[in-house]
Amino acid sequence: MLAAVYYGPHDLRLEERQVPTIGPDEALLRVMSAGICGTDLRILHGAHRKYPEGTVRVPGHEVVGEIVEVGAQVAGLDVGERVMVAPNYGCGHCLQCVTGNNNRCANYGAIGITIDGAFAEYMRIPAPLILQGDLIPIGPDVDAAAAALIEPFACVLRGQDPLRVGPDDVVLVTGAGPIGVMHVMLARLQGARRIIVSEMSASRLPQALALGADRGVDVTRENLQDVILAESGGRGADVIITAAPAHQAQEEALRLAAIGGRINFFGGLPKDRPTITFDSNLVHYKELVVTGTTACSTSDCWRAAEIVNGGRLDLGQLVSGRYALDDVHAAFAAAENRDALKIVVEP
Ligand SMILES: [Zn+2]
Ligand SMILES: [Zn+2]
């Protein structure tokens, strides 16, 4: 089979490999569609901590495929089933795992991160993924490329859980990349009153507006605070999601929030400079709730899949390019382009 294998920074090689053989408690997936995520770009740049020097591995963790082989001891999984894979699997027995938050497990593993992933024609599914319910059925009407985006959407869903977005809320999303746009789509689905998106690259705003934002703000040309006050009757934003890895966006969120506002620092900051100036009096006097979320659990993926399978949200609108596995280098180059939303590889 063909596979795209990481050998080192900027060294992704297409090579012929044996189709993986599976054990009696494992399954084999024929990959239909795999999304390229910011994490994959970080891996390729040699900046991912789970890819230390010397790592040889197939990346790819946003995947949908067809089960083509099932080990003799595996129950509840059928050949021919189309599934997405919740990529994270925890140890299965720590407090976080047993409370349904396996994304917080200190000893987590993940396809494409700690073991071979999805940029290949076939992928071995180890036992822990099967036992923890990480293979999630996809409805026949859902396009494979759209289904491959359920995992990042699950992260977005988890990110909005603590924010309780509702019909009274003016929502600000900072950053109109794929994740920012998914936050817009979900806030719309939750019935937000007004959704504002801010961006440094004006060329990214039209796609956010087309997919549900009411107002786009090019922060290089407009004053964001003026816009937020005008759009909220002078209150400020009830909900703020920082979907860009920007210090300024996090600091500004405290100022732009309405009294009683809820904020999620969704996008992490660069590891070498994770500190911001945090005006704690704004949190105190405005009774703000400031939170963070990271990745997604298996149960978040099930909830996200239910929304997509039910036709309530079409993630296919985010797909801006489809590439064969032969063209994986072109696919990664396209994913580096800031105007692209999601690029998928279809082996
Ligand atoms: Zn991802
Ligand atoms: Zn655990």
Side-chain angles (χ1 to χ4, degrees), residues 50 61 86-92 97 102-103 105-115 126 128-129 132 134 296 298:
K50 297 284 191 185
H61 60 271
N88 294 328
Y89 57 95
C91 71
C97 282
N102 57 353
N103 59 315
C105 176
N107 296 307
Y108 82 96
I111 57 163
I113 308 292
T114 59
I115 59 170
L129 285 134
Q132 292 181 18
D134 281 333
C296 61
T298 299

Side-chain angles (χ1 to χ4, degrees), residues 65-333:
E66 182 191 1
I67 305 278
V68 290
E69 197 184 337
V70 176
Q73 294 169 11
V74 174
L77 209 59
D78 295 317
V79 167
E81 245 186 302
R82 209 162 63 122
V83 296
M84 63 91 47
V85 184
N88 294 328
Y89 57 95
C91 71
H93 48 78
C94 73
L95 180 64
Q96 299 305 336
C97 282
V98 298
T99 53
N101 295 292
N102 57 353
N103 59 315
R104 298 181 189 160
C105 176
N107 296 307
Y108 82 96
I111 57 163
I113 308 292
T114 59
I115 59 170
D116 280 342
F119 297 132
E121 288 179 272
Y122 294 90
M123 190 172 90
R124 184 179 65 91
I125 308 289
L129 285 134
I130 297 170
L131 295 171
Q132 292 181 18
D134 281 333
L135 302 189
I136 304 172
I138 295 304
D141 302 332
V142 181
D143 176 45
L149 308 187
I150 289 174
E151 188 272 336
F153 178 61
C155 302
V156 164
L157 191 60
R158 184 181 186 87
Q160 289 196 21
D161 281 345
L163 304 175
R164 296 171 288 104
V165 178
D168 298 329
D169 291 326
V170 172
V171 176
L172 168 66
V173 178
T174 63
I179 291 292
V181 172
M182 282 192 206
H183 273 297
V184 167
M185 292 169 82
L186 179 60
R188 186 90 289 158
L189 189 67
Q190 317 246 50
R193 180 151 71 87
R194 200 95 182 124
I195 304 171
I196 301 148
V197 181
S198 66
E199 245 298 333
M200 307 268 290
S201 313
S203 58
R204 283 180 140 189
L205 288 173
Q207 53 205 21
L209 291 165
L211 292 171
D214 298 298
R215 176 75 156 85
V217 183
D218 170 0
V219 293
T220 65
R221 301 185 52 180
E222 282 188 281
N223 182 294
L224 183 55
Q225 183 154 26
D226 291 347
V227 175
I228 296 293
L229 291 175
E231 295 283 333
S232 63
R235 271 203 341 274
D238 304 289
V239 168
I240 301 180
I241 300 152
T242 63
H247 299 76
Q248 198 203 333
Q250 293 190 353
E251 292 173 359
E252 207 174 20
L254 302 176
R255 287 193 294 276
L256 298 175
I259 291 170
R262 293 93 71 196
I263 299 169
N264 187 348
F265 289 164
F266 186 87
L269 295 179
K271 257 191 284 300
D272 55 350
R273 202 161 69 86
T275 320
I276 60 167
T277 300
F278 191 95
D279 185 340
S280 119
N281 272 350
L282 291 173
V283 177
H284 175 71
Y285 288 112
K286 293 202 277 188
E287 296 198 342
L288 302 180
V289 175
V290 182
T291 187
T293 49
T294 182
C296 61
S297 67
T298 299
S299 71
D300 297 326
C301 288
W302 277 89
R303 291 191 300 135
E306 192 160 296
I307 291 172
V308 172
N309 280 337
R312 289 161 63 206
L313 197 127
D314 178 12
L315 295 176
Q317 298 174 95
L318 289 154
V319 177
S320 45
R322 299 166 186 253
Y323 290 77
L325 189 55
D326 293 315
D327 286 332
V328 72
H329 294 104
F332 269 79

